[in-house]
Amino acid sequence: MEAIARLKNVPTSPRKMRLVADLVRGKRVGQALSILKFTPNHGSIKLEKLLLSAVANWQAKNPDAKLEDADLYVKTIFVDAGRTLKRLRPAPQGRAHRIRKRSNHVTLVVDAYNAGVTADEVETTEKSN
C-alpha cells in the first residue's frame, strides 16, 4: 500500500529541485535518505523532510506492519512548477528588468515492494534501461 506526501510552494526553481529528485527516484528509503543527507543542494533538505513525512504517512496507513520488514522505496517523485512571483529591478537609464522568483510543488509516493520482487532487482533493471 502506498503513501503520498506533497510539498507546495517551495521557493526554489523547479529545475534545481528536479536535479535532486532524480537522485532518489526508485531508490530504497534508507539509501534515499543517505543520498539526500549528503547532497549539498538546497533542495535536498526539503526533500529529506518530505521523504520522512511520506514514511510517517505510510506508517499511519499500516499500523500493524513493521517498517523494517516493509522494504519501502520511492515509487514516484515529480516536481511541478508553482507560482512565479514577478518583481522589478531598476536598470540604467530609467528602465526596469523583470525578476522571476520561481517556486515548485513536489509530490512523493512511497510504496513497499511485493514479496517476490526485491529492491535490488528493481534497481538493477533500472540501471540496465
Side-chain angles (χ1 to χ4, degrees):
M1 179 176 251
E2 60 186 30
I4 300 173
R6 289 188 180 91
L7 184 62
K8 295 190 174 190
N9 295 320
V10 182
T12 307
S13 70
R15 183 176 180 182
K16 290 179 185 177
M17 190 65 86
R18 281 187 194 111
L19 290 173
V20 181
D22 290 341
L23 294 174
V24 297
R25 185 174 290 120
K27 303 277 193 237
R28 283 192 239 171
V29 168
Q31 185 180 5
L33 283 173
S34 62
I35 289 171
L36 290 173
K37 185 173 183 178
F38 295 108
T39 301
N41 297 6
H42 180 26
S44 64
I45 299 166
K46 304 268 185 185
L47 283 183
E48 184 180 2
K49 289 177 77 172
L50 182 66
L51 183 57
L52 291 172
S53 175
V55 170
N57 292 344
W58 185 87
Q59 284 180 326
K61 278 187 172 182
N62 305 305
D64 54 342
K66 289 187 177 180
L67 185 61
E68 295 82 20
D69 299 335
D71 197 24
L72 293 178
Y73 74 106
V74 179
K75 186 174 181 180
T76 58
I77 181 170
F78 54 90
V79 180
D80 296 324
R83 102 174 42 131
T84 302
L85 300 175
K86 294 175 180 159
R87 301 289 181 255
L88 294 176
R89 168 148 299 176
Q93 299 181 357
R95 296 188 183 114
H97 292 290
R98 179 169 283 173
I99 303 296
R100 291 183 302 273
K101 296 186 175 186
R102 301 177 191 271
S103 65
N104 62 60
H105 307 307
V106 184
T107 304
L108 190 139
V109 179
V110 171
D111 198 4
Y113 278 110
N114 296 339
V117 180
T118 63
D120 293 328
E121 293 173 7
V122 173
E123 287 179 13
T124 54
T125 57
E126 286 180 358
K127 288 179 184 177
S128 65
N129 292 336

